[in-house]
Amino acid sequence: MPQVALVTCAELPDLDPDDQLLLPPLAARGVEAVPAVWDDPAVDWAGFDLVVVRNPWDYARRRDEFLAWARSVPRLANPVKIIEWNTDKRYLRDLATAGVPVVPTTWLEPGGVVELPEAGEYVLKPAVSAGSADTGRYRLSDPAERRLAEELAARLLGRGATVMLQPYLSAVDTAGETALLHFDGVYSHAIRKGPMLDGPYRGDDGELFRAEQIDPRVPAAAERELARAALDVVPGSHQDLLYARVDVIPGADGTPVVLEVELTEPSVFLAHADGAAGRLADAIVARL
């Protein structure tokens, strides 16, 4: 019986509830799926027929350690070369260079000066992040919020992080984000995510991620085309991607732009689409 590790973190040793939905269809296909914590020294990763990254949501503050672990795993999905590229959101530069529309982004690098626009509503976050940690929304014409934005940027830069400054796209308050899921390079389903950022960053509350408002969604043809164009830029080939999620949002003129391409540990929202767990299970079996 093939054995597959589903990688998680110590805070979720039995996986996120949504990813637990993958266990029965894998068992029905003759595969034993074992949740395994990525930084547990007792785990023999070489003993698995495949290691599938799912919920290691504590990696962002320990990216170097996480990448060293990923390089040590012999049969990893998604592959380490993709994880290295995808765990730093500066990959958005590659998308933009390739002509893929992305959310306009200004990059603040360590050692530089914190210079923010005089007005407008902006999102500040580190280039290496997960679960909206160290992420806030700021009205830069408001003196109090501007000061908080400058403090967050200075703190992140002080710890050596690259900081992203993006205009807040108001369409998220109405249309929301569209997350398009692909398994084994094939489109599976999509969901709508409601707005999450309601103001400045309030500090670490100890949660791995913020609660999300999720609903099924049928994406527009332009959104599906944009997601495919983004995946075409990913290093390697579509055959390298066991799973992929592309988050898009209407831009200032209403046409979709890429917010993120999630290829490392994305939620895949199996509970929100009939047959999604089976499709991901089939993709895993095909890798075996």
Side-chain angles (χ1 to χ4, degrees):
M1 191 175 192
Q3 193 175 60
V4 171
L6 301 179
V7 179
T8 186
C9 59
E11 290 86 348
L12 293 168
D14 298 318
L15 297 171
D16 177 77
D18 191 70
D19 282 279
Q20 291 174 6
L21 299 176
L22 185 57
L23 302 178
L26 282 174
R29 290 158 174 78
V31 176
E32 180 184 5
V34 180
V37 175
W38 72 271
D39 58 352
D40 181 353
V43 177
D44 176 17
W45 300 103
F48 292 101
D49 297 283
L50 186 67
V51 176
V52 180
V53 181
R54 292 308 318 124
N55 308 144
W57 291 334
D58 59 352
Y59 83 87
R61 293 288 185 89
R62 304 157 59 194
R63 179 173 178 258
D64 289 346
E65 182 182 346
F66 181 69
L67 291 180
W69 164 82
R71 295 183 192 106
S72 74
V73 178
R75 291 174 290 278
L76 185 67
N78 284 332
V80 66
K81 65 181 179 181
I82 288 174
I83 290 175
E84 289 176 333
W85 181 80
N86 186 239
T87 48
D88 187 325
K89 292 182 177 60
R90 282 179 287 189
Y91 66 75
L92 290 173
R93 292 171 171 172
D94 295 341
L95 298 183
T97 299
V100 177
V102 302
V103 177
T105 306
T106 299
W107 306 89
L108 308 179
E109 300 291 349
V113 178
V114 177
E115 294 184 354
L116 304 179
E118 291 300 320
E121 197 165 15
Y122 285 83
V123 173
L124 271 170
K125 59 184 175 182
V128 178
S129 65
S132 297
D134 296 310
T135 300
R137 169 182 168 186
Y138 301 88
R139 294 170 298 164
L140 296 182
S141 60
D142 180 281
E145 292 197 11
R146 183 180 188 85
R147 176 178 55 81
L148 291 174
E150 291 172 340
E151 290 176 353
L152 175 62
R155 179 169 61 82
L156 294 174
L157 292 171
R159 77 178 194 213
T162 296
V163 177
M164 305 169 62
L165 177 68
Q166 297 176 319
Y168 184 78
L169 298 179
S170 59
V172 73
D173 296 324
T174 52
E177 299 174 27
T178 301
L180 298 97
L181 283 304
H182 298 73
F183 300 145
D184 221 3
V186 178
Y187 170 76
S188 170
H189 61 286
I191 58 93
R192 175 193 183 274
K193 291 198 292 182
M196 295 176 59
L197 299 177
D198 56 2
Y201 178 62
R202 298 184 178 88
D204 186 0
D205 58 8
E207 296 293 329
L208 282 175
F209 53 88
R210 299 183 187 183
E212 298 177 316
Q213 177 189 341
I214 306 298
D215 299 291
R217 166 167 279 178
V218 177
E223 292 174 323
R224 289 190 60 171
E225 292 170 3
L226 177 59
R228 174 53 61 192
L231 294 179
D232 285 341
V233 181
V234 175
S237 69
H238 293 158
Q239 285 72 30
D240 292 330
L241 297 174
L242 173 62
Y243 51 85
R245 194 184 92 200
V246 182
D247 296 347
V248 305
I249 186 173
D253 63 356
T255 59
V257 295
V258 173
L259 182 62
E260 291 188 343
V261 177
E262 297 275 9
L263 309 175
T264 302
E265 29 57 78
S267 295
V268 289
F269 308 112
L270 300 178
H272 295 274
D274 290 341
R279 289 191 289 275
L280 181 51
D282 286 338
I284 290 172
V285 170
R287 296 297 170 105
L288 295 172

